[in-house]
Amino acid sequence: MIRDLWYKNAVIYCLDVGTYMDANGDGIGDFSGLMRRLDYLHGLGVTAVWLMPFQRSPRRDHGYDVTDYYAVDPCFGTLGDFVEFTHGAKQRGMRVLIDLVVNHTSIDHPWFQSARADRDSPYRDWYIWSDKKPTHADKGMVFPGVQDSTWTYDKVARAWYFHRFYDFQPDLNTSNPHVQAEILKIMGFWIQLGVHGFRMDAVPFIIGTKGADVKESTEQFEMLRMFREFLQWRQGESIILAEANVKPDKDMEYFGSDGDRMHMMFNFQANQNLFYALASADTKPLIKALKATKGRPATAQWGQFLRNHDELDLGRLTDEQRETVFAAFGPTPDMQLYQRGIRRRLAPMLEGDRRRLELAYSLLFTLPGTPVIRYGDEIGMGDDLSLPERECGRTPMQWSTEPHGGFTKRSRPVKPVISGGPYGYEHVNVADQHRDPESFMNWMERIIRMRKEVPEIGWGDYAIIDTRHTAILAIRYDWLNNSVLMLHNFSHTPLEIEFEAGCGERGKLLVNLLTGDHACADEAGKHRVLLEGYGYRWYRVGGLDYLLNRAEI
């Protein structure tokens, strides 16, 4: 049945094994340490854990430069440790997703080393080569300002190789059937070890045509259907969560009109316009983005997020909108990245303002789709702008006030824990927030618990409710004869709004799910609600007997 799709009402928690907890005492997080924190994750209420790359790698790009897709990097442990972790997660009712990085490999991968050494190597055609430097080599860089070409000359191969990302990450020729077969084999391997799905990195580049003569890449969408078919055959509940920052007119091509391609995609369109709304108190572009991305097959789902391990990409905004967001959240050059984004974590972007943080995460948990949060979000972790590029937001988890935030017993961790200042582990850590019933972490735990009790958001259809205030976002979700209505005030000033909830007689009563502040309509059927600055409301339409009224179909 379609209601068996676990990802439709999940809460996904993204973490980097290397920055979560170190049990081996070598200053690097590992699977043994992660095992010891499974009960913490279970208590927080997350239902799925997404792991950033942990396969064998020289780690020039945080593990996204893989040298062996079938091995755990020794710094994190062994395959046995990984299986113990997936088993422990399963015992606690949590699923495990892992990064699938198959657009490129490390330059040190044995496949590339063989390919560069011999033109007759069976791996030569696994990569993209050119005897001459292509004329468009200075176009299409993923990291402008850091990367100046997509083609690099290799003296050993005596040819140019293509790399959409850094020059130590040569692109795989994903049009090659042998490469496609290897990708399926990689997925099958990790599924056997307890994985329930993959966050597929850089999907448009994986399915795009590549070559010296290719100036405008063409997406090979049938490749996505092949990936999905393999997962359904191998293990029916496995999914792919696609990283595909594409325009809304391409969304259905990635989902498949029959829902036969990607199970989930990150909603970059909503994400970027959400930050514009937070910066400007203007929800019109966000509402437009939500309407533009509304259409999707019944089996498909959006992954909604605020910040992730990359920069906050603002490339889809207009120049004026982007400058508004820069001015509000990343005003200095050291806060910006790649000429298009902001590299900070959310808490410092919002200046640690509890009201704005609650607003932002309340929005995340009530946008249409599945919420994806990042490690440290639940305690309001900060960033270290002295670290290069995206590394500033990939600092170790802050567990306590013990040395190095309780992350490691080593005298010095490989990556520094944030210390001193308002976001140092001395002030921001799990242990302190555990003891404070009013802490942000305990607020987050309560909001996650409530989100799981509101399946209408993940499963239902939705409508934007008109309140005649551009600073207000009002959404109603309807599913199986039940409805919820969510209000958010993006302005710092209180606003009184008037609206009709719809839903006939049921819509005259709105029961607040978070506090005792309920709302009753007047004789004309209109509700009047006073929303404080950065205020939010989660309403159940028609009362708390909704489970008795829920339809079966």
Side-chain angles (χ1 to χ4, degrees), residues 224-413:
L224 301 181
R225 189 171 187 270
M226 176 184 64
F227 295 153
R228 178 161 183 153
E229 283 182 342
F230 174 81
L231 288 181
Q232 304 314 117
W233 293 333
R234 186 62 63 92
Q235 180 174 284
E237 63 176 9
S238 295
I239 69 164
I240 294 178
L241 169 54
E243 183 202 32
N245 187 355
V246 296
K247 293 182 178 179
D249 61 1
K250 285 287 184 74
D251 291 342
M252 290 301 292
E253 297 283 4
Y254 282 83
F255 286 131
S257 57
D258 295 324
D260 57 350
R261 294 176 183 171
M262 297 291 91
H263 303 78
M264 293 183 68
M265 283 206 303
F266 286 113
N267 196 331
F268 285 92
Q269 196 75 17
N271 175 259
Q272 298 185 34
N273 285 283
L274 169 59
F275 275 92
Y276 175 71
L278 289 171
S280 66
D282 179 4
T283 65
K284 294 193 298 295
L286 174 58
I287 291 172
K288 182 179 179 180
L290 291 174
K291 290 180 177 179
T293 58
K294 184 176 182 179
R296 65 181 188 271
T299 58
Q301 183 71 315
W302 285 114
Q304 301 287 2
F305 66 104
L306 292 172
R307 290 291 293 111
N308 59 24
H309 56 286
D310 289 325
E311 79 282 3
L312 169 61
D313 188 345
L314 303 172
R316 299 290 181 196
L317 301 182
T318 67
D319 292 344
E320 183 179 356
Q321 289 173 332
R322 190 180 308 112
E323 288 306 315
T324 297
V325 181
F326 278 148
F329 302 135
T332 61
D334 66 326
M335 298 174 181
Q336 301 171 15
L337 195 60
Y338 307 138
Q339 304 169 15
R340 63 170 181 254
I342 296 173
R343 67 191 192 111
R344 308 174 75 192
R345 268 192 179 257
L346 186 68
M349 286 172 66
L350 299 181
E351 298 177 335
D353 187 330
R354 175 69 178 265
R355 300 172 305 156
R356 299 173 77 189
L357 283 169
E358 287 191 15
L359 172 72
Y361 284 103
S362 175
L363 277 161
L364 171 65
F365 285 102
T366 57
L367 287 176
T370 295
V372 182
I373 60 177
R374 188 158 177 255
Y375 81 93
D377 280 359
E378 69 271 26
I379 59 173
M381 270 181 59
D383 46 45
D384 183 352
L385 294 178
S386 69
L387 296 175
E389 295 186 58
R390 296 165 293 169
E391 296 301 304
C392 67
R394 300 172 176 179
T395 56
M397 184 68 175
Q398 297 165 200
W399 293 107
S400 67
T401 56
E402 296 170 341
H404 307 301
F407 170 75
T408 183
K409 290 290 187 180
R410 194 184 186 200
S411 59
R412 184 179 181 183

Side-chain angles (χ1 to χ4, degrees), residues 13 15 20-22 30-44 46 49 85 92 94 397-400 402 405-408 430-431 434:
Y13 186 95
L15 64 86
Y20 211 61
M21 184 180 171
D22 170 30
D30 52 54
F31 279 110
S32 296
L34 185 52
M35 274 289 295
R36 301 179 190 189
R37 292 299 183 182
L38 277 174
D39 289 324
Y40 166 76
L41 293 171
H42 182 244
L44 192 61
V46 300
V49 180
F85 163 72
R92 293 163 177 82
M94 293 186 290
M397 184 68 175
Q398 297 165 200
W399 293 107
S400 67
E402 296 170 341
F407 170 75
T408 183
V430 170
H434 257 314

Side-chain angles (χ1 to χ4, degrees), residues 397-510:
M397 184 68 175
Q398 297 165 200
W399 293 107
S400 67
T401 56
E402 296 170 341
H404 307 301
F407 170 75
T408 183
K409 290 290 187 180
R410 194 184 186 200
S411 59
R412 184 179 181 183
V414 172
K415 185 174 290 186
V417 181
I418 296 176
S419 179
Y423 300 101
Y425 71 85
E426 300 90 347
H427 307 293
V428 178
N429 63 74
V430 170
D432 283 352
Q433 294 199 26
H434 257 314
R435 291 186 285 263
D436 179 3
E438 301 303 317
S439 70
F440 189 64
M441 188 184 74
N442 280 314
W443 176 88
M444 185 78 84
E445 181 183 329
R446 292 191 295 270
I447 216 76
I448 289 173
R449 182 171 63 248
M450 183 54 68
R451 171 61 180 79
K452 292 193 296 188
E453 294 181 21
V454 187
E456 290 84 355
I457 300 173
W459 285 99
D461 192 12
Y462 63 93
I464 304 298
I465 305 300
D466 182 19
T467 66
R468 299 187 179 183
H469 281 275
T470 59
I472 301 292
L473 177 65
I475 306 182
R476 191 191 72 235
Y477 294 91
D478 306 302
W479 183 63
L480 299 183
N481 202 38
N482 288 168
S483 300
V484 291
L485 191 148
M486 310 302 184
L487 303 176
H488 291 87
N489 180 8
F490 286 75
S491 172
H492 68 280
T493 59
L495 293 173
E496 185 176 41
I497 59 175
E498 182 179 271
F499 61 92
E500 293 184 9
C503 302
E505 283 298 312
R506 289 189 300 119
K508 293 183 177 181
L509 173 63
L510 301 178

